[in-house]
Amino acid sequence: MLDRFYLPLLGLAAVAALGLSLVWPQGLGDRSPAPFGHDPVQRSPEMQAAMRRETEAAQRRVDQARQAVRNIQNEAIAPSQ
């Protein structure tokens, strides 16, 4: 590819990426700098409580799955007669 075509195209792509980064939604992380930012959703008390409940429920499911595997393994090792 010719440098006369490639390098300006690369510069234009870089400028477009910078422009897009200024207006793209910030997501759920930390606050973006003004004037584009808003309060992060994850920092609200309701979202914190929902995330905590979800984590605890996932941990309970993992514990139940591990216990089920242990029961199956114990039954295979020493079957009841």
Side-chain angles (χ1 to χ4, degrees), residues 14-38:
V15 169
L18 287 172
L20 185 62
S21 71
L22 292 175
V23 297
W24 193 259
Q26 77 179 44
L28 300 175
D30 284 335
R31 180 177 165 85
S32 294
F36 304 109
H38 58 78

Side-chain angles (χ1 to χ4, degrees), residues 9-70:
L9 186 62
L10 186 62
L12 182 62
V15 169
L18 287 172
L20 185 62
S21 71
L22 292 175
V23 297
W24 193 259
Q26 77 179 44
L28 300 175
D30 284 335
R31 180 177 165 85
S32 294
F36 304 109
H38 58 78
D39 292 330
V41 175
Q42 289 182 333
R43 301 240 174 126
S44 68
E46 298 84 18
M47 184 59 75
Q48 290 282 328
M51 289 173 21
R52 190 176 309 108
R53 284 191 306 269
E54 184 177 334
T55 301
E56 290 168 355
Q59 187 63 43
R60 280 193 303 271
R61 286 192 301 271
V62 167
D63 291 341
Q64 288 173 351
R66 286 181 181 158
Q67 186 62 37
V69 169
R70 281 190 202 108

